[in-house]
Amino acid sequence: MDQGLEEYVPPASPLWAPFSKAVTKKTLDWDILRRAVDEAWSNAFHPKYCEQRIVNDLLINFAEAWKNNSNVKASAISDFFTFFFNDFFEAEIDGSGYPLAMVLSRVFSEVRSGRTTGLEHILGPNWHKTDEQIAEENRQANALAAMMNQGMNITRTSESANQAIKPTSDAQMVQNDEAVNTETGAKPDETAAADDGWTVAGGGRRGRRNRNRNQGSEGRRVLK
């Protein structure tokens, strides 16, 4: 049957919070504990309770040692793991927790002396930040990225629209006129003299200007 977690008073040190975070991360990442929880080795306790209990009991022991200004040997932590697995998971781990115990013992000794090498190794460059600070920074970064992506999409849409409606240049129109004159046999000078802009009848400029456009039933130009 699950029990409540024992409460304790943490040491009055700014390094205690990141230290407890590092202990929690390393312990919960421990492959043997992961198997025991995921495969529900315990018959008497809920796996998640066992997971929370082992971390809480570890921190209680570290807090007491911190207040008493004493170190915690790796062998003592390893014995704690052995007894815990025997009591809560009914399993013998035969000292398999010693490698993890060595890491936790070393980080505890470093933190008590004011060093943060182990914390940086376990938690990364943001070891000194709380979960709330990291979450807020991630939220702001995601919001900024979304705004930048939206701006890039608007720019691409505008560029695509400009390309789609790009007017025919004067040079292109002249080339089109010359091509038509070649097909019809008309001389450029004669065509220019007969053309007064838009309303020349017969083979005048209006027909040529619309060669690259489709006309509707009422003569409206449909750009395609």
Side-chain angles (χ1 to χ4, degrees):
M1 182 178 178
D2 297 353
Q3 305 169 1
L5 298 178
E6 183 179 346
E7 296 182 359
Y8 68 96
V9 178
S13 168
L15 291 180
W16 174 258
F19 170 72
S20 62
K21 187 176 179 180
V23 170
T24 300
K25 184 180 187 308
K26 290 298 295 184
T27 304
L28 296 186
D29 288 345
W30 184 22
D31 57 344
I32 297 178
L33 179 62
R34 290 265 50 83
R35 284 188 56 193
V37 172
D38 295 342
E39 298 174 11
W41 288 3
S42 178
N43 294 321
F45 301 95
H46 191 280
K48 287 298 181 183
Y49 171 77
C50 296
E51 187 179 55
Q52 296 171 355
R53 178 67 182 268
I54 192 172
V55 171
N56 192 71
D57 286 2
L58 266 175
L59 293 177
I60 289 175
N61 284 284
F62 280 126
E64 288 298 323
W66 191 308
K67 294 173 185 177
N68 295 330
N69 198 29
S70 60
N71 289 321
V72 179
K73 295 182 179 179
S75 57
I77 302 174
S78 180
D79 289 344
F80 164 81
F81 287 145
T82 298
F83 296 142
F84 187 93
F85 268 74
N86 187 41
D87 292 341
F88 286 85
F89 292 113
E90 300 178 3
E92 298 290 341
I93 61 174
D94 298 326
S96 299
Y98 191 76
L100 173 59
M102 290 181 62
V103 173
L104 298 182
S105 174
R106 179 175 179 176
V107 174
F108 178 74
S109 178
E110 288 180 355
V111 171
R112 282 187 57 249
S113 62
R115 291 177 292 163
T116 60
T117 305
L119 296 180
E120 295 174 16
H121 177 74
I122 297 172
L123 301 177
N126 292 328
W127 65 269
H128 57 289
K129 297 180 180 179
T130 64
D131 292 338
E132 291 76 12
Q133 289 174 321
I134 295 175
E136 177 60 20
E137 290 180 357
N138 290 338
R139 186 194 67 78
Q140 293 179 3
N142 291 335
L144 179 60
M147 291 176 59
M148 294 179 64
N149 288 336
Q150 184 178 11
M152 293 175 64
N153 290 335
I154 293 175
T155 301
R156 293 193 190 101
T157 303
S158 177
E159 291 175 351
S160 299
N162 290 336
Q163 292 175 0
I165 322 175
K166 184 177 181 180
T168 304
S169 66
D170 292 341
Q172 290 174 329
M173 292 176 64
V174 171
Q175 290 176 358
N176 291 340
D177 285 347
E178 292 176 349
V180 173
N181 290 334
T182 301
E183 294 176 2
T184 61
K187 296 180 180 180
D189 291 342
E190 294 175 350
T191 304
D195 191 351
D196 65 352
W198 288 101
T199 59
V200 176
R205 187 162 182 167
R206 180 188 292 271
R208 293 199 306 276
R209 183 170 292 185
N210 293 335
R211 287 180 64 87
N212 292 329
R213 302 184 178 99
N214 295 326
Q215 291 191 354
S217 59
E218 299 179 359
R220 295 191 300 273
R221 294 187 298 278
V222 182
L223 299 181
K224 290 187 177 181

